[in-house]
Every structure is written in C-alpha cells, then in structure tokens.
Amino acid sequence: MADQHQNADNSGAHLIRGASILGGAAEDLLIRDGVIAARGRHLDADVAGVREATVIDAAGLVALPGMVDIHTHLREPGREDAETVETGTRAAALGGYTAVHAMANSTPVADTAGVVEQVLTLGRTAGWVDVRPVGAVTVGLAGEQLAELGAMADSRAHVRVFSDDGICVHDPVLMRRALEYVKAFDGVVAQHAQEPRLTAGAQMNEGEVSAVLGLAGWPAVAEESIIARDVLLAQHVGSRLHVCHVSTAGSVEIIRWAKSRGVNVTAEVTPHHLWLTDELARSYDPVYKVNPPLRTDADVQALRAALADGTIDVVGTDHAPHPSEHKECEWAQAAMGMTGLETALSVVQHTMIETGLMGWEDFARVTSTAPAAIGRVQDQGRPLEAGEPANVILVDPAARWTVDPSKMATMGRNSPFAGRELPGKVVATFFKGHPTVLDGKLNTPYRWPVDALDAGPAGRRP
Amino acid sequence: MRHLLSTEDLSLHNAIRILDTAEEMAAVGEREVKKLPALRGRTVVNLFFEDSTRTRISFEAAAKRLSADVINFAAKGSSVSKGESLKDTAQTLAAMGADAVVIRHWASGAPHRLAATDWIDAAVINAGDGTHEHPTQALLDAFTMRRHWSKLAGTPSAGADLKGMRVAIAGDVLHSRVARSNVWLLRTLGAEVTLVAPPTLLPIGVEKWPCAVSFDLDETLAQGVDAMMMLRVQGERMNASFFPTTREYSRRWGFDDNRLRALDSLGLKDTIIMHPGPMNRGLEISAAAADSPRSTVLAQVRNGVSVRMAALYLLLSGENREPAAAAVSASAAASAAASSDAPAAHAANPNLTYSHQESH
C-alpha cells in the first residue's frame, strides 16, 4: 500500500475509457481534482488533463454514482469488537459506497453533538467514504425524552437523519414531537417500526414456519400498525418521515396509500428482505436472525414490486456486524442482524435487475440519488456529468463470485449469503475523485485536508 | 437415524422401528434383572438446561438399563450459569468422549444446533426444546396409544400404526412442544387428530397443520374420540390475557367430571385419557378423570423408559454397530425364552424385524 503522505493530494487524474454510463451508451469520464472534469464519447488528447491521466479500460463495465447507504451500523464507539469505523468503511468502499449513514445505537449512544462529531472525525480519519452520523431521537434510545436534536443538527456533523433504530419510537406523543421538531432544520425521523408489546420476545416472522418451529412470532401487524400511525402523524404535522427496513406486503400498501395522499414519507428495504424468507429459520442457524425478521415469499415479491414502482424509495443495507459468539449459539440467544455492505450491490442486481424489474438507472436512483436526498447529502447521488463531484463506481455486471464471509473487509462474519453465488462486482470506487478501490481491491483512502478533520460536513467548508 | 431431533422429520419406517424396539425393551423392564449389556462402555450425557426431574430420570433409567455410563449435567449451578456458551459446553462434552447427548433446553432449536454444528460429534436426542418439540414424549404417547388400539383390535402392537384412531389434544397448544411432536407423529402413524384450545392458545399458522382445530371440547367429544390427551396449562397465562380466569378455562377446556361422565353417556367406553404430566389437577384435568381407569398417565411414564431405551439403543448401536446389536439380540433372545409376553420373533434381533413396514 502506498505511503499515505503520497496521497495527500489524492493522487492525480483518471480517465475511464468506455464505461456504460448508468447502463447506457459507452462514454469516457475524466476524473480530476475531485470532480468529473469531462464526459464524452471519445475524450481525445486535447482535453485538458487527458494526457496525464491514468487510463482505466472500462469496456463492459457500468459507471454509476457512488452508492449511499441510509442505514449502516459501524458499532464504533463502544463495540469495536464487532466493527470499527475503519473496517466498516473499508467494507463500504469495496461494496461500492461513497457515503454511509452511521446509526446512532453505539455506546455511548449518538445522542449528543459530541458523539456525532466523534463519529464524523473517525470517518474522515479513515477516509474510505463519507460517514454521515445519524442522531438518536431520544436520549439513550430510551424513548422517553428528546435528545438534543438541534445541537446535533448544528454540530460539525450536520446531522439531518434522526433515528432510534433498533428500537421503535413507540410513544405517539414523542413521535409527533420529534417529527415536528426536526422541521426546524430540515431533518427527517427514520423510524424503526415495531410495536413493542406485540413483539415482546419475538424471534422470527409469525406465520406457518414459526408455528412449526416454536419460535415466538413477530407479526407483520406490529410493523404495519406503527407505519400507519406514523404516516398519519407525518401528515398531521406536515413533516418528513422515513421508514426503515420495510419488510411486509401490508406495509407496502400503507406507504403506497400515504404517498397517494401526499404524505412526505420515504421508505427503505434491505437487500436481504428482497431475497430471503423465513423458511431459512428452519435451520435454526442464527445467521438468519434479523430484525425485522425475514418474511414470506409473498412479502419478498411485494417488496420487489414496491422498489421497482417507487413506493419504496431506497435500498438500505442495515449492515449489522456481530462478533461470532453472538451468532454461534441458540437462536433465542443470538443477536439480530446481518452484514450487507459488501453484498448489497450483487443482491440488488440479482433480485431486481436480473429479474427485469429495474435497470441500472433505477439502481442509481434507489442506491444513490434517493438516499442522498433523504439524508441531505449534498455532494453525493449526483449525475455523472462534467463539473459534478467525482463519486463514481465501476461495476462488472457479468462477474460471478461466491460469498465467503471470512474474506470480507467487515469484521462481521454474519452474512446470510455465505456460499451463494452472486452476480456483479465492484471494480473501482472513486470517492471525491480518489480511487479507494481499484481492480476490485482496496486502494488507499481519501485524505481529507488537515483542517477538514475538524471542519464542517462533507461538501461544505466553514 | 443419527439423531432424534423432532417427529416432524421422523419417517414412518423409523417411527415404527422405535416403537417396536420399545416393545422389546418393555419386556426387559418386566424381567427380574432389568438390564441389557447393549451400551456397555458408552457414555450418555443428560444435558439439562431446564429443570425436568421426570424426563431426566426417565432417560437416566433408560440409559442405565442399557448399561451405559450416565453423566447428568444440570445447567443450573454449573459453568453454564456462569455464562458458558452452548458451544463451549458441547465441545467440553465432546472432549470428554460423550457418545450421546440428551438435551433439554428452554430455547427452541438448541438440539438442532448441536446436531448441525461441528461442536460435538455425538448422537443428539431432543428431550424437549422450548416450545418446539419433545419427540420422545410423542413416541411414548404413541406407544401407549398403539398398545391400547391394538388390544381393542385384538392384533399385536409390533409393526402396527394408528390408522383410524381419533385423538383429541386439548390445552395450551401455542406453548406446547408435546402438542407439536404429537401432531406430526400421529399424522405419520395415520391417526386423526383434533386440537382443542382457546383461540389465544393456538399458533398463527395452525390451519396448515395436518389436523382439525376446534374451540369446543364438548362438540369434539360428541363426535367421538378414542384418546383424549390433556396438555398442562400454566395458570400464569391468565396474567397475559390468554384467558380470563383459570375457572373459565377449566369450564370450557378442562377435562372435568361432567366430561368424564359424558364419555359414558356418549358410549365411548374405550376412550383413554392421557396427560404428559405434571398435571394441574382441577385446572386442565379433574382428579376423578386423572385417577379413573381410563387414565393412562402412569402407563405413559412407564412406557417412557422403554421408548427412551429404544431411542438410545437405535442411535448408539443401530445398524452400523453390529457388536452391540449382537449383544442385545443374544440377551433379548434369552429374555424372550424367559418372558412369556415378549414376542419371540421380534425379540430375536431388533434390526431384522421390520422389513414389512414399508407397506404402511
């Protein structure tokens, strides 16, 4: 690996030759000084910078905007045995991401300006992707008292997404107040929709399979009833609501109805809910234990259709690494969650693109443009045009690879896709014009200017 | 058969094989010396993460009658209560050379984890896991029913199934591993099962089970029942609003004296009353019902030892372990000569007796 000091200027220019832009016609992209300096069919040597640029032959590759994850657990601070910002963002870069939203359920909880600024700094020091801290809605995720949302919004981390993810903001008054309050700084409340009383001790989707396995059920209605309440609250107070990891066909119907009524709601689906079903729980292997749980095939089909028609806006990984001892145990004892950063692109390609439900342009919308808009991440999810920030990935859609969790960059070995052959591979990731991934392998991190390590949010200079 | 984890995936062939072997084991229990050398030198660990003296001593008696060395490992007061994981416990037992692990666990699927992982190589017998299954309980219930059903038909038990037998199972199906194991096994054996319970104590998805479901115990009895199995109901369920009061539960779903009398007035003179124990007298079953001649409660306990002997025997010295099998057949042959009610043809060798079962 190159000396980091050599990358202080984030190393030079790259000329991407003949990439299929968003799955369309092949064109060249010249990346230089952090931006897309030029785009064209055959950029010739007179274009400034072309001569000096490192050429990447991108024949057969698809160029896409860097992916933006609206839902990532980086575990730091507090659970560095599960993941660190460094390892999690390496995984993100390898998975094609240039920005991730780090969920607030760290230890301590990201419920103050101090913690979100710490996470921001850790992300910039790592330099693999833009780390956007999510702020907790309530103090300690306890669901009792609003955290200092305004202080987090005004902090260097410039928080715009607030979530108690992992726990539902179930008190209707508190949820109403949170929705109202974040309007003051254009924030959004990202709700983990789970009615707690209906899911006490819940282990898996409640249905035919749970009945046989004798595992306590997590009924679809526990998700749907909260979403129904929340879209009505969002409408009532005129605020912005984001629904995390939608998992049921009924939730899709409610969100579709809310959108038709003009409610300002966005929704997310995870890659695993687009593919896997509760049948996998029959193995009692806790690698399939996740919250919300894997549902039925009818739910999977409804989620795919909803992502294709825009009812569901984004794919969020809910990347949730756990130490192996939290999965090598009885199902009921096991932690909930799955890794996802390094498999998301492939799983979406498999479930949405190879099924003909979506094209690469739609892929760019649901993995980059829309999540950047929800998180108000200004220099991400942009068009691949001259003058735009160079957050770009190159994907080989013809590649096939077999998932081996032991070879992943994340510390988590809890991938439910282990052993499966997946299509699509990230060949290169450019973050702010710098290649964090080249030839499918980690290159070097982007080096923020020294003053930016203590400065304002991405894309802004104080 | 490498493990006995559930009845859901137990084939008819293997189910009958266990029941028939249990018949032979029962004959051993009637001898003066209730012991076979079949598992001499083999180690059976009773790994209990949940208190259950009845099941544990039943397995212990079964293993000892087969001359196995028995180690009882109760999770309470052990390293497990100090936070040791199932994986470490299993690897510890493997290092000590356990040949079979009989596991009782509060978590559904724990026996499957032992069997599916490389933590331990021993045969695993599920002695009750969470609200999932309790296969040896269902097998001893089926054994008890089969003896009754065969006696009524005047045919030998060995080799028989339960085709045509009407079985009602009443109580807390939702939380019952006994109910689940019984539903699958009774289906496999050809019985007709009706579950009777308050709607709150039936799992979502029960409509896909191979049985009928009723909310009305009297109506079910009126349609005719050959075996009435009552499930234990925890009075505390009342606190979670599964039913309003224990009295209301008893009136609607308990097997009380009125229903005991109803069996007579309905002409169901051969109907047996079963309970896996321990009973809540006065809640799901009245004292008169529990103590009536129809009750098979104690026979079930007795048969439990035979069925568990059969399971241990087949898993540990089944078709792959000829020397042990030979030891048993020599001993069983001797016992057949001595015991009048052991069917000699079947006792000769448990491994050669069941070729006709494929026709079922």
Side-chain angles (χ1 to χ4, degrees):
Chain A
M1 191 173 288
D3 184 333
Q4 291 176 347
H5 290 289
Q6 287 183 336
N7 297 305
D9 60 353
N10 298 311
S11 65
H14 288 83
L15 177 63
I16 297 166
R17 281 278 186 212
S20 159
I21 309 292
L22 270 51
E27 292 190 49
D28 299 348
L29 294 173
L30 177 64
I31 292 177
R32 193 181 165 206
D33 298 329
V35 296
I36 299 173
R39 169 181 164 174
R41 288 224 169 246
H42 294 287
L43 292 179
D44 53 42
D46 340 333
V47 177
V50 162
R51 214 182 296 270
E52 304 81 50
T54 306
V55 176
I56 296 174
D57 176 9
L61 305 185
V62 176
L64 298 164
M67 293 159 70
V68 176
D69 195 9
I70 195 71
H71 194 147
T72 315
H73 296 277
L74 294 178
R75 303 296 187 213
E76 192 178 5
R79 286 314 300 263
E80 293 82 359
D81 59 327
E83 189 85 286
T84 63
V85 171
E86 174 71 29
T87 58
T89 55
R90 283 175 177 233
L94 283 165
Y97 287 92
T98 51
V100 298
H101 287 79
M103 275 297 173
N105 63 339
S106 50
T107 315
V109 171
D111 58 1
T112 62
V115 178
V116 293
E117 289 187 349
Q118 182 195 358
V119 173
L120 178 80
T121 300
L122 287 168
R124 290 190 174 179
T125 305
W128 296 105
V129 299
D130 204 352
V131 173
R132 301 300 314 263
V134 173
V137 175
T138 65
V139 175
L141 309 178
E144 287 165 5
Q145 189 187 347
L146 282 188
E148 288 192 338
L149 308 182
M152 290 188 275
D154 293 343
S155 75
R156 289 192 294 107
H158 202 72
V159 175
R160 288 296 174 269
V161 181
F162 297 90
S163 182
D164 277 2
D165 179 63
I167 301 173
C168 183
V169 182
H170 63 91
D171 180 329
V173 176
L174 201 54
M175 185 62 183
R176 174 201 167 139
R177 297 291 180 237
L179 284 167
E180 285 178 308
Y181 196 77
V182 299
K183 287 199 288 183
F185 31 82
D186 194 26
V188 62
V189 177
Q191 175 71 296
H192 172 113
Q194 176 180 5
E195 210 296 313
R197 291 273 292 144
L198 285 171
T199 51
Q203 296 293 325
M204 67 170 295
N205 179 51
E206 182 168 55
E208 285 173 44
V209 181
S210 66
V212 171
L213 297 185
L215 289 171
W218 198 131
V221 64
E223 173 174 306
E224 293 154 5
S225 59
I226 292 291
I227 295 175
R229 180 200 74 178
D230 285 354
V231 296
L232 293 171
L233 282 174
Q235 181 177 46
H236 182 60
V237 303
S239 188
R240 202 150 71 88
L241 169 71
H242 176 70
V243 185
C244 296
H245 42 53
V246 170
S247 71
T248 79
S251 298
V252 166
E253 286 307 306
I254 293 163
I255 292 162
R256 191 172 281 135
W257 171 85
K259 286 189 165 186
S260 75
R261 304 228 319 178
V263 179
N264 196 351
V265 57
T266 54
E268 149 201 325
V269 64
T270 70
H272 46 271
H273 286 113
L274 287 173
W275 191 0
L276 308 178
T277 70
D278 62 353
E279 289 291 331
L280 291 164
R282 290 186 191 274
S283 67
Y284 286 106
D285 185 342
V287 78
Y288 303 115
K289 182 176 176 181
V290 66
N291 194 21
L294 301 177
R295 304 286 187 185
T296 68
D297 191 58
D299 295 303
V300 167
Q301 300 308 325
L303 293 168
R304 290 183 183 183
L307 184 61
D309 73 17
T311 302
I312 291 176
D313 302 80
V314 300
V315 172
T317 64
D318 197 4
H319 176 79
H322 288 291
S324 62
E325 63 268 26
H326 291 179
K327 288 291 189 182
E328 289 188 336
C329 56
E330 304 88 329
W331 179 284
Q333 295 277 61
M336 292 183 278
M338 304 171 163
T339 61
L341 287 169
E342 288 161 89
T343 46
L345 177 138
S346 296
V347 172
V348 175
Q349 182 182 338
H350 172 78
T351 57
M352 300 300 297
I353 293 181
E354 300 201 337
T355 51
L357 290 167
M358 282 187 0
W360 287 107
E361 216 166 318
D362 303 304
F363 180 94
R365 171 172 50 81
V366 301
T367 63
S368 182
T369 317
I374 292 167
R376 301 294 194 248
V377 189
Q378 276 155 10
D379 59 351
Q380 300 265 358
R382 303 292 305 165
L384 300 184
E385 299 290 352
E388 293 287 352
N391 297 308
V392 182
I393 62 172
L394 298 176
V395 173
D396 178 2
R400 291 289 181 278
W401 60 293
T402 301
V403 179
D404 178 356
S406 71
K407 292 191 175 144
M408 289 185 174
T410 173
M411 286 166 67
R413 296 292 170 261
N414 50 310
S415 171
F417 305 108
R420 293 187 191 232
E421 193 188 80
L422 300 182
K425 191 83 187 126
V426 175
V427 174
T429 304
F430 288 88
F431 171 48
K432 293 181 170 294
H434 174 78
T436 52
V437 173
L438 277 179
D439 295 328
K441 296 182 185 68
L442 278 176
N443 182 35
T444 55
Y446 171 80
R447 285 298 157 203
W448 289 79
V450 175
D451 61 343
L453 293 176
D454 290 313
R460 260 189 10 168
R461 292 288 180 272
Chain B
M1 251 198 324
R2 168 129 173 67
H3 308 287
L4 180 57
L5 302 176
S6 75
T7 58
E8 194 201 2
D9 55 7
L10 189 66
S11 67
L12 176 64
H13 172 75
N14 280 334
I16 300 270
R17 194 159 150 238
I18 294 170
L19 295 177
D20 287 355
T21 306
E23 285 289 356
E24 289 155 31
M25 296 301 175
V28 174
E30 285 155 21
R31 288 157 52 186
E32 197 175 344
V33 178
K34 299 179 175 56
K35 203 148 176 148
L36 288 177
L39 300 185
R40 187 182 291 148
R42 320 213 57 170
T43 302
V44 174
V45 177
N46 288 324
L47 178 58
F48 275 54
F49 289 83
E50 199 179 58
D51 289 331
S52 175
T53 307
R54 303 164 62 99
T55 304
R56 205 255 301 147
I57 61 176
S58 180
F59 269 108
E60 188 171 349
K64 285 181 170 167
R65 281 187 194 172
L66 292 169
S67 306
D69 295 319
V70 180
I71 297 172
N72 288 313
F73 187 134
K76 270 191 184 158
S78 73
S79 49
V80 173
S81 61
K82 294 170 190 150
E84 185 176 82
S85 70
L86 180 62
K87 177 180 176 176
D88 289 328
T89 303
Q91 289 181 333
T92 300
L93 298 179
M96 289 177 183
D99 297 297
V101 176
V102 174
I103 177 172
R104 160 69 69 104
H105 203 295
W106 55 267
S108 299
H112 285 72
R113 293 291 283 156
L114 282 193
T117 57
D118 58 3
W119 303 341
I120 187 168
D121 192 33
V124 178
I125 297 184
N126 180 359
D129 62 327
T131 54
H132 175 226
E133 286 224 30
H134 194 354
T136 58
Q137 177 71 43
L139 283 159
L140 75 88
D141 291 337
F143 182 92
T144 307
M145 287 183 228
R146 191 174 77 157
R147 277 197 162 178
H148 175 69
W149 199 234
S150 303
K151 201 170 119 198
L152 290 180
T155 53
S157 298
D161 58 21
L162 296 176
K163 214 155 277 169
M165 191 172 192
R166 298 164 299 178
V167 181
I169 302 175
D172 182 357
V173 175
L174 178 64
H175 300 99
S176 177
R177 51 193 171 212
V178 176
R180 285 176 177 77
S181 284
N182 264 294
V183 165
W184 310 127
L185 182 60
L186 291 171
R187 163 205 58 186
T188 302
L189 293 171
E192 296 160 20
V193 179
T194 302
L195 296 175
V196 188
T200 47
L201 290 175
L202 288 164
I204 297 286
V206 72
E207 64 279 0
K208 299 285 167 115
W209 290 9
C211 59
V213 173
S214 163
F215 306 140
D216 189 329
L217 183 52
D218 294 315
E219 190 184 281
T220 302
L221 290 173
Q223 286 172 2
V225 167
D226 301 306
M228 179 71 239
M229 185 186 301
M230 304 309 296
L231 301 173
R232 181 177 167 80
V233 171
Q234 294 178 358
E236 310 86 77
R237 302 281 180 218
M238 183 179 107
N239 301 327
S241 297
F242 285 104
F243 45 82
T245 65
T246 51
R247 287 315 308 150
E248 174 155 327
Y249 181 89
S250 297
R251 277 194 300 273
R252 295 184 74 104
W253 291 288
F255 201 87
D256 59 11
D257 294 354
N258 288 334
R259 294 188 173 109
L260 182 63
R261 280 190 291 273
L263 291 184
D264 296 327
S265 57
L266 289 164
L268 296 167
K269 67 181 176 61
D270 295 318
T271 298
I272 53 174
I273 301 170
M274 308 179 71
H275 195 297
M279 293 183 280
N280 287 307
R281 286 173 185 250
L283 179 46
E284 75 267 4
I285 188 166
S286 71
D291 297 333
S292 83
R294 296 175 182 273
S295 167
T296 61
V297 172
L298 292 177
Q300 288 169 268
V301 174
R302 200 176 313 119
N303 296 337
V305 178
S306 307
V307 161
R308 286 163 181 140
M309 286 173 77
L312 284 168
Y313 172 77
L314 290 172
L315 291 181
L316 286 180
S317 46
E319 51 263 75
N320 306 325
R321 306 191 194 266
E322 282 312 320
V328 134
S329 43
S331 174
S335 93
S339 165
S340 58
D341 62 338
H346 294 288
N349 185 340
N351 298 318
L352 297 176
T353 336
Y354 315 111
S355 53
H356 61 288
Q357 288 315 319
E358 301 299 352
S359 59
H360 285 270

